[in-house]
Amino acid sequence: MYNAKFIIPGLIIFIGLALFPFIKGAGQPELKVETEKPKEAKECVLPKEKIRDVHMVLLNEWRDDVIRNGKRVYTSENGKQYNMSLTNTCMGCHENKDKFCDKCHNEVGVNPYCWNCHNTSPVKKEGEK
Amino acid sequence: MQSSRRDFLKLAGVSALGLSAGTLGFLGEGARAADALPTATDFAKPSTAKRWAMVIDTAKFDDALFKKCIDACHSNHNVPEIEGKQQIKWIWTEDFEGAFPTERPAYLAEEQEHRKYLLLCNHCENPACVRVCPTKATFKNNEGLVIMDYHRCIGCRYCMAGCPYGARSFNFQDPAPHIKNINLQYPHRTRGVVEKCTFCVEKLAQGKLPLCVEASGGAMVFGDLTDPNSEVRKVLKHKYAIRRKPDVGTEPGVFYII
Ligand code: SF4
Ligand code: SF4
């Protein structure tokens, strides 16, 4: 191969770099994020695994349904009905954004701007922190 | 990274204003939210109409009633209080000349001339703001309400140029620090989006009246313009009412009994 003495070590270095995160991560304990669960509510609008995966999709759909289609009631898989509202339904149970939402978001480095407008905990009463 | 910059700016802004640490509460905590959270059942019986409209009986208003209606709206919808050119308003007052500049009556009766008029978005039949919005963030729904999807607003302010009634305000800055008592149940807006009156679409969805109409104690009525038995039509049948700038052709949905 023409210039093999450069290309092959170059390739090896490249592959090594590309694989580095996987090599370093191997054998490490699984990443665990401890979030504060709601104290009052026992179930979410979707099963736990599902809401973990698709909460952002769900919120997008809720937003379009409420604002653009005027549809404000969400029926969950087990037939329960909810007001489609980030502020009033989600944050009504998850009182502490820092200890719930931010925990994962910080860990994976995403920064949703929902809270630039939506207030965090409507169940907080006057004077409560 | 971004959030720390925002926190820094917040702090910088607050210190620049020379506010003491004690007043920092208004940045978000110090909740009001005494009302129960709306649940799915609250939306079971929405008020519906083909075309929502409002009639304002201008003679029934005095300064106290204006304040009551404006406060009801602004405090519930987290409309910030900012003085000067960056002011945000959903509902406000003007004199006759400001409210009806195209009426031009000669020798207008003093009473009407010195009266103030309550103004808000007219939820026009033919809204100029909707036509010019490039992202469809402003749109008319099937009940005649002109709604804003703040998520989609890119802050181009075409709608403000388009609206002949000055019904829209732009957030030049983060409104949160200017909201005295945040209503945690209702979102506020963010820097770079336009906002305006919604005819309380979230209240109508719960079968309630708009907040200003409720606060007005009968000085404002609200209903379906296409229904001859509705409150607004009953009032309009007996009273002479005008609309703002009829010649621009937007067909406003707010009527004024003079
Ligand atoms: S009053 Fe202005 S903002 Fe409201 S619907 Fe009419 S044109 Fe649009
Ligand atoms: S209808 Fe609702 S949003 Fe519009 S001015 Fe009245 S209280 Fe405010």
Side-chain angles (χ1 to χ4, degrees):
Chain A
M1 198 200 290
Y2 184 69
N3 262 350
K5 68 173 188 272
F6 297 117
I7 291 170
I8 290 170
L11 271 179
I12 291 171
I13 290 171
F14 171 75
I15 291 169
L17 280 178
L19 292 180
F20 176 71
F22 299 97
I23 295 163
K24 181 156 183 280
Q28 299 268 20
E30 202 186 323
L31 175 68
K32 270 233 168 346
V33 182
E34 279 307 326
T35 52
E36 187 184 81
K37 304 294 182 302
K39 294 178 202 84
E40 309 292 330
K42 289 279 161 287
E43 56 177 3
C44 194
V45 300
L46 278 177
K48 197 165 71 188
E49 287 68 32
K50 215 159 172 189
I51 193 82
R52 217 177 260 161
D53 283 351
V54 302
H55 62 280
M56 53 306 238
V57 181
L58 180 95
L59 286 171
N60 260 337
E61 285 170 4
W62 278 18
R63 154 177 107 182
D64 288 346
D65 269 343
V66 170
I67 299 181
R68 307 207 76 99
N69 309 328
K71 181 171 171 274
R72 288 169 183 267
V73 175
Y74 174 77
T75 309
S76 74
E77 286 171 3
N78 62 15
K80 270 206 173 169
Q81 295 201 314
Y82 296 91
N83 167 18
M84 295 153 102
S85 165
L86 170 64
T87 301
N88 292 332
T89 299
C90 305
M91 304 314 286
C93 289
H94 297 285
E95 293 176 39
N96 196 322
K97 163 180 167 275
D98 300 348
K99 290 189 185 150
F100 185 76
C101 317
D102 288 354
K103 273 279 166 74
C104 286
H105 291 160
N106 289 346
E107 195 66 52
V108 298
V110 294
N111 195 354
Y113 40 80
C114 310
W115 294 280
N116 289 3
C117 297
H118 291 270
N119 299 309
T120 47
S121 181
V123 291
K124 265 186 214 162
K125 294 283 175 326
E126 194 137 11
E128 265 181 48
K129 268 277 146 61
Chain B
M1 173 65 209
Q2 210 189 344
S3 87
S4 64
R5 187 182 63 186
R6 200 176 60 214
D7 290 344
F8 170 76
L9 284 176
K10 242 188 219 166
L11 267 181
V14 169
S15 13
L17 285 168
L19 291 166
S20 68
T23 54
L24 271 170
F26 68 62
L27 283 175
E29 308 290 318
R32 205 183 42 178
D35 298 349
L37 293 185
T39 61
T41 43
D42 291 320
F43 297 97
K45 284 203 196 76
S47 312
T48 54
K50 284 215 185 70
R51 164 108 170 88
W52 286 116
M54 184 186 278
V55 182
I56 300 179
D57 193 341
T58 60
K60 289 194 179 150
F61 276 90
D62 56 16
D63 285 346
L65 192 54
F66 282 137
K67 187 171 179 325
K68 202 171 153 213
C69 295
I70 295 170
D71 283 351
C73 174
H74 284 191
S75 67
N76 261 282
H77 295 124
N78 291 325
V79 178
E81 266 178 51
I82 301 172
E83 296 290 327
K85 281 189 176 158
Q86 302 194 355
Q87 188 198 12
I88 309 272
K89 52 191 179 16
W90 284 25
I91 175 166
W92 72 104
T93 59
E94 288 261 13
D95 55 15
F96 188 91
E97 181 64 23
F100 307 100
T102 52
E103 286 293 314
R104 305 197 180 287
Y107 310 108
L108 179 67
E110 275 202 23
E111 217 227 312
Q112 273 78 358
E113 188 176 356
H114 297 308
R115 204 177 273 167
K116 289 261 183 220
Y117 297 87
L118 195 61
L119 309 184
L120 68 167
C121 168
N122 292 289
H123 294 265
C124 306
E125 177 89 54
N126 221 341
C129 55
V130 171
R131 202 166 54 231
V132 296
C133 176
T135 62
K136 299 255 188 298
T138 292
F139 63 102
K140 200 172 101 175
N141 80 1
N142 51 13
E143 301 192 14
L145 301 175
V146 176
I147 310 251
M148 277 220 63
D149 184 346
Y150 302 114
H151 307 97
R152 223 184 262 200
C153 174
I154 56 169
C156 70
R157 300 161 69 197
Y158 280 24
C159 60
M160 296 177 71
C163 172
Y165 307 98
R168 298 172 158 258
S169 312
F170 182 67
N171 283 282
F172 287 95
Q173 50 181 314
D174 181 10
H178 300 277
I179 305 166
K180 280 215 191 74
N181 247 322
I182 287 197
N183 171 11
L184 289 175
Q185 293 185 18
Y186 196 84
H188 50 80
R189 273 65 56 195
T190 180
R191 193 174 73 112
V193 304
V194 172
E195 58 180 83
K196 71 166 193 75
C197 152
T198 61
F199 261 9
C200 288
V201 60
E202 80 283 2
K203 298 286 169 203
L204 298 175
Q206 300 175 40
K208 297 180 186 161
L209 281 174
L211 291 159
C212 56
V213 176
E214 218 167 66
S216 76
M220 298 159 92
V221 292
F222 196 74
D224 188 348
L225 202 56
T226 61
D227 172 7
N229 296 317
S230 70
E231 288 297 312
V232 286
R233 285 288 293 279
K234 277 187 213 154
V235 175
L236 291 176
K237 213 175 274 173
H238 301 294
K239 296 269 173 120
Y240 175 70
I242 60 173
R243 295 188 286 180
R244 299 179 66 198
K245 301 191 182 177
D247 44 343
V248 291
T250 57
E251 298 289 328
V254 179
F255 295 76
Y256 294 86
I257 298 171
I258 296 298

